[in-house]
Amino acid sequence: MDTFNELIKSEELEYDIFTNAGVTPLMMAVESRNIDLVAACLRANFNPFHHDALQHTAMDKANFGREKLVNDIAVIIDQAMNQWRLQLSEEELNDG
């Protein structure tokens, strides 16, 4: 987490970059099942609305598994998505 925290301080860091398959750093954090990393990404405003090439979001990836940790990850992503919805227009959300 120390490395993540140092990287996130960089003003030039692009948070919502994605792989050729459309996978974002937030999606990778979800797939790692590291709830602390997912929470840190969300606190840093990584966009939870982006879709990968299969049209999956970070929430979809969190819901693929059924163990308790994954459900906890889904809860914090849902909370972040609700906060984004309050702050952005529908058009801005759909651009992700």
Side-chain angles (χ1 to χ4, degrees):
M1 288 300 302
D2 291 336
T3 302
F4 175 85
N5 291 329
E6 287 301 314
L7 286 172
I8 209 69
K9 290 178 187 176
S10 171
E11 292 179 17
E12 297 175 14
L13 184 66
E14 191 174 337
Y15 304 153
D16 292 319
I17 60 170
F18 49 88
T19 66
N20 290 338
V23 178
T24 66
L26 176 58
M27 292 176 193
M28 290 180 204
V30 170
E31 290 173 341
S32 77
R33 304 299 190 231
N34 182 335
I35 194 167
D36 294 328
L37 182 57
V38 172
C41 289
L42 293 169
R43 281 192 304 272
N45 292 320
F46 286 36
N47 189 335
F49 290 95
H50 284 302
H51 292 86
D52 66 12
L54 298 174
Q55 295 303 304
H56 295 145
T57 64
M59 177 64 90
D60 295 327
K61 293 180 180 297
N63 284 324
F64 287 151
R66 293 292 173 222
E67 64 262 13
K68 180 171 177 14
L69 175 62
V70 174
N71 291 335
D72 291 343
I73 289 172
V75 168
I76 64 172
I77 292 172
D78 185 54
Q79 291 169 346
M81 291 174 80
N82 287 332
Q83 289 174 0
W84 278 63
R85 285 185 187 105
L86 291 173
Q87 297 173 19
L88 300 175
S89 70
E90 193 66 34
E91 183 178 305
E92 289 172 309
L93 292 174
N94 289 330
D95 284 343

